[in-house]
Amino acid sequence: MKMKFDNILEEVNGLGPFQITLLVLFCIPRIVLPCHFLLNNFIAVLPPHHCDFSSLDSGSHFRNLTQEQRLTVSIPVGENGGPAACEMFAAPQFQLLANSSNSTRLQTLPCPSGWIYDNSTFTSSMVMEWDLVCDRKSLANMTATTFFIGVMLGAIAFGYLSDKYGRKSTLLVSYILTTVFGFASAFANSYIMFSVLRFFTGFSLTGISLICIVLCVEWADTPHRSFMGVIGSLSWSLGNMLLAAFAYMVNDWRMLILTVTSPLGLAILTWWWIPESARWLLANGKVERAQFYLRKCAKFNKRQVSSKFELETLSNIKVLGKQDKNYSYLDLIKTPELRKRTLLTGIMWYGVSLTYYGISMNITGFGLNVYLTQFIYAAIEVPAKLMVYFLLRVIGRRTCQATTLLVTGTCIAINIFLSKDLWHLRAVITTIGKGFSEAAFTTVILYTAELYPTVIRQNALGYNNFMSRLGVSMAPLVLLLEDLWTLLPQVIICFVAILCGLSCLLLPETRNVTLPESIDDVERLSRNSSSSNPVDFAECEAKDAKSEENDHS
């Protein structure tokens, strides 16, 4: 007898106390993710600064001046009306005390003795410690890019390892490595060392990001995948809000890194209660271990164990073809339908990430302090996720994905044409755009997990996370383009969001469709259905069986 794994899940309850406990166990590590992903907003903050003019203190006349007067005779006026950030006068210009407007032709020079920073909001940051300002300003954003390059490469590594060696054991490796490199980066004594450690922190964190999603989806039956995917992701929004609180209470940048990393210690302790994916175990011929976890799930959900849980029956479950085959990233492009999905989901993940982080990393300029902006950006994600939960059930994955990206692009486009004097309205529209960008991110995770078969699902998520982090690593560099033209970053992000939203329409719908187990399942579905009318695999198998029967007759 051939059965689908979802038939077994129906027996043990596809959404019971077992699955809810799994969501709770993943809450702690998923809270850590946004704290590290958006950490640069606070540890690399650029406070108001000006040259240290103590070298001009060469006489009693200078010492008798007030601090404001010393600034006037030492520092030229910058473009924003305040003291210039990157230059000072070669000598004190005492005549400016009488006429401060006549300073345009006076000789200036780069800051010879370093900078003085306004630490009224941030007592310390790596920018202050290593003077990452003026001609070294881009180095502050480069730490974010380096981190996300690590995340990008980690997606490839952990996607492969998780499919080959299992979800649970690979998750423990990710927990331990992230903890080690996260704590080590807080004690880095140079910019280069810090950048290297942030690279490895990002590399390690990817395992948590990938495996938590896949385990939740693989333990849920078809009707409840939306719940596990969307409601489980609320932990990200909670971590985002907590980051604002942590940064507000912990002003030292090194202590902030330690604070946001420390919850992983508790996550390592709770790892022992996390189950391995029974889908993966059956796909890899580990029937006895799969039976153990399925019986454990049934007991936890207070369900009776039937004959379907016998080893012989479990061995006959319709799984992924040959159990001794090793799948790799090359399998993503070997067949026509998977090639199409690989191309389109890669574009989709790149656009979603560039859009989301392009907005998330710009937390200044709206007349609010950075803590409040960060909190508002995080809080808007909660109603956005709840909205997505209902939309996924009503209009489906594909339409929801396209709509959220197109609305995000529209919000950015509106802000391009709004005057900066209307900062209240700009802040509201940006917040709405941020909410829809998060809705797009929430949708793409679930949608992608449903588009690929179990045998290469983790590899597929690894590849798509690679494309995602490629977009994320570009976000800080795109924001630097404002030095060329203030609106250029917004124009680029708007264009990418709209283009990727339209590309989603070329993918098939997966609402109420059983998760594909094998590559043949995906190709069979493509042959037997149009993209606008989703057909379940059971229907496809019935059609193929009937076709074979006609051929024999």
Side-chain angles (χ1 to χ4, degrees):
M1 181 180 65
K2 294 288 184 183
M3 287 192 304
K4 285 291 208 178
F5 183 78
D6 283 62
N7 301 133
I8 295 293
L9 276 182
E10 290 174 5
E11 291 284 320
V12 300
N13 189 355
L15 183 63
F18 183 86
Q19 285 80 6
I20 300 301
T21 302
L22 188 60
L23 286 180
V24 173
L25 290 175
F26 284 147
C27 183
I28 296 171
R30 289 174 105 172
I31 282 175
V32 172
L33 290 174
C35 290
H36 271 281
F37 278 46
L38 295 173
L39 187 61
N40 234 55
N41 282 350
F42 298 99
I43 66 171
V45 68
L46 184 63
H49 56 281
H50 58 77
C51 294
D52 181 357
F53 50 78
S54 58
S55 59
L56 299 180
D57 185 5
S58 58
S60 59
H61 187 46
F62 187 89
R63 297 192 191 101
N64 291 333
L65 299 178
T66 64
Q67 183 64 19
E68 185 177 348
Q69 290 172 328
R70 290 181 185 181
L71 277 173
T72 301
V73 302
S74 305
I75 309 292
V77 177
E79 294 180 0
N80 60 357
C86 301
E87 59 182 359
M88 60 182 288
F89 295 126
Q93 305 297 320
F94 296 109
Q95 73 278 10
L96 295 178
L97 294 175
N99 183 11
S100 60
S101 61
N102 187 23
S103 61
T104 53
R105 296 185 179 180
L106 298 175
Q107 183 182 358
T108 61
L109 71 164
C111 305
S113 304
W115 288 262
I116 295 176
Y117 298 95
D118 178 2
N119 58 5
S120 58
T121 302
F122 297 91
T123 58
S124 73
S125 74
M126 69 177 197
V127 170
M128 301 182 202
E129 184 165 331
W130 293 316
D131 289 331
L132 306 180
V133 294
C134 299
D135 57 342
R136 304 182 72 208
K137 178 182 175 181
S138 61
L139 293 179
N141 278 0
M142 281 302 297
T143 57
T145 298
T146 302
F147 172 83
F148 285 115
I149 290 174
V151 173
M152 181 171 63
L153 297 179
I156 298 294
F158 280 99
Y160 172 78
L161 293 173
S162 180
D163 270 344
K164 185 171 180 63
Y165 298 107
R167 304 353 183 176
K168 183 175 179 176
S169 56
T170 309
L171 181 62
L172 180 61
V173 173
S174 181
Y175 280 172
I176 294 174
L177 289 180
T178 304
T179 305
V180 171
F181 289 120
F183 276 104
S185 62
F187 298 98
N189 57 10
S190 70
Y191 173 82
I192 294 177
M193 181 181 291
F194 178 75
S195 297
V196 170
L197 290 171
R198 285 298 287 168
F199 169 86
F200 285 109
T201 303
F203 182 94
S204 309
L205 268 171
T206 314
I208 300 173
S209 177
L210 288 175
I211 298 168
C212 291
I213 296 164
V214 169
L215 270 174
C216 286
V217 171
E218 290 187 343
W219 271 109
D221 58 6
T222 302
H224 298 114
R225 291 200 304 260
S226 297
F227 180 89
M228 293 292 284
V230 177
I231 302 303
S233 69
L234 286 172
S235 300
W236 173 281
S237 301
L238 177 59
N240 229 337
M241 288 185 277
L242 286 174
L243 174 60
F246 290 151
Y248 180 76
M249 292 184 292
V250 183
N251 296 131
D252 181 80
W253 71 281
R254 294 180 184 274
M255 286 302 299
L256 181 58
I257 295 175
L258 295 176
T259 301
V260 300
T261 305
S262 56
L264 285 177
L266 182 58
I268 292 173
L269 295 178
T270 61
W271 173 84
W272 304 101
W273 287 276
I274 293 173
E276 179 57 274
S277 168
R279 283 183 190 268
W280 180 85
L281 290 169
L282 289 173
N284 288 272
K286 304 177 187 295
V287 182
E288 291 186 7
R289 286 190 64 201
Q291 182 191 52
F292 168 78
Y293 284 113
L294 286 168
R295 287 180 178 275
K296 189 175 181 179
C297 178
K299 182 179 180 181
F300 213 77
N301 288 341
K302 297 182 172 56
R303 291 292 182 92
Q304 294 295 322
V305 177
S306 68
S307 59
K308 291 183 180 180
F309 292 86
E310 298 302 322
L311 291 176
E312 183 178 353
T313 306
L314 292 175
S315 298
N316 288 326
I317 285 182
K318 172 75 171 58
V319 289
L320 323 167
K322 296 182 179 180
Q323 295 176 348
D324 58 349
K325 178 176 180 180
N326 289 321
Y327 291 90
S328 70
Y329 289 104
L330 291 177
D331 291 288
L332 294 172
I333 56 173
K334 283 184 177 178
T335 56
E337 180 61 21
L338 275 178
R339 267 198 304 273
K340 171 187 169 184
R341 296 187 184 190
T342 299
L343 173 64
L344 291 174
T345 57
I347 294 172
M348 190 168 64
W349 276 77
Y350 179 90
V352 167
S353 296
L354 178 63
T355 303
Y356 176 85
Y357 284 97
I359 298 174
S360 299
M361 291 178 178
N362 183 21
I363 60 172
T364 60
F366 295 115
L368 304 173
N369 69 57
V370 291
Y371 306 113
L372 183 56
T373 303
Q374 172 70 28
F375 183 83
I376 292 173
Y377 274 8
I380 194 64
E381 294 181 0
V382 176
K385 288 178 184 292
L386 297 178
M387 175 192 70
V388 163
Y389 176 64
F390 291 105
L391 288 179
L392 288 173
R393 298 162 62 90
V394 176
I395 66 174
R397 278 59 161 158
R398 181 181 57 184
T399 306
C400 186
Q401 186 72 73
T403 302
T404 52
L405 277 169
L406 291 173
V407 173
T408 302
T410 302
C411 289
I412 298 171
I414 292 172
N415 262 358
I416 289 174
F417 295 100
L418 277 179
S419 170
K420 287 194 173 183
D421 294 334
L422 301 173
W423 66 266
H424 291 89
L425 182 58
R426 286 171 57 85
V428 170
I429 293 174
T430 302
T431 302
I432 294 173
K434 174 62 164 60
F436 275 93
S437 71
E438 171 56 31
F441 221 132
T442 302
T443 305
V444 76
I445 295 170
L446 175 65
Y447 191 21
T448 304
E450 294 177 342
L451 282 169
Y452 290 93
T454 303
V455 280
I456 56 171
R457 183 170 295 121
Q458 198 74 71
N459 275 322
L461 281 173
Y463 153 74
N464 282 291
N465 263 270
F466 176 89
M467 294 301 296
S468 168
R469 304 318 165 191
L470 182 61
V472 177
S473 62
M474 292 300 294
L477 304 181
V478 169
L479 293 178
L480 286 175
L481 295 176
E482 67 179 1
D483 292 338
L484 299 178
W485 178 36
T486 307
L487 297 178
L488 185 56
Q490 295 181 61
V491 171
I492 293 174
I493 295 170
C494 174
F495 174 77
V496 170
I498 293 175
L499 178 65
C500 294
L502 294 174
S503 70
C504 301
L505 299 174
L506 300 175
L507 287 165
E509 179 56 68
T510 60
R511 179 179 51 150
N512 297 327
V513 175
T514 305
L515 282 178
E517 304 290 357
S518 67
I519 293 175
D520 287 340
D521 281 341
V522 173
E523 299 302 322
R524 187 185 302 117
L525 180 64
S526 175
R527 291 194 302 268
N528 288 278
S529 67
S530 65
S531 61
S532 58
N533 297 304
V535 177
D536 205 348
F537 294 112
E539 297 177 30
C540 296
E541 288 172 356
K543 288 182 181 179
D544 287 349
K546 186 175 180 179
S547 176
E548 289 177 11
E549 188 178 324
N550 291 336
D551 291 341
H552 287 308
S553 62

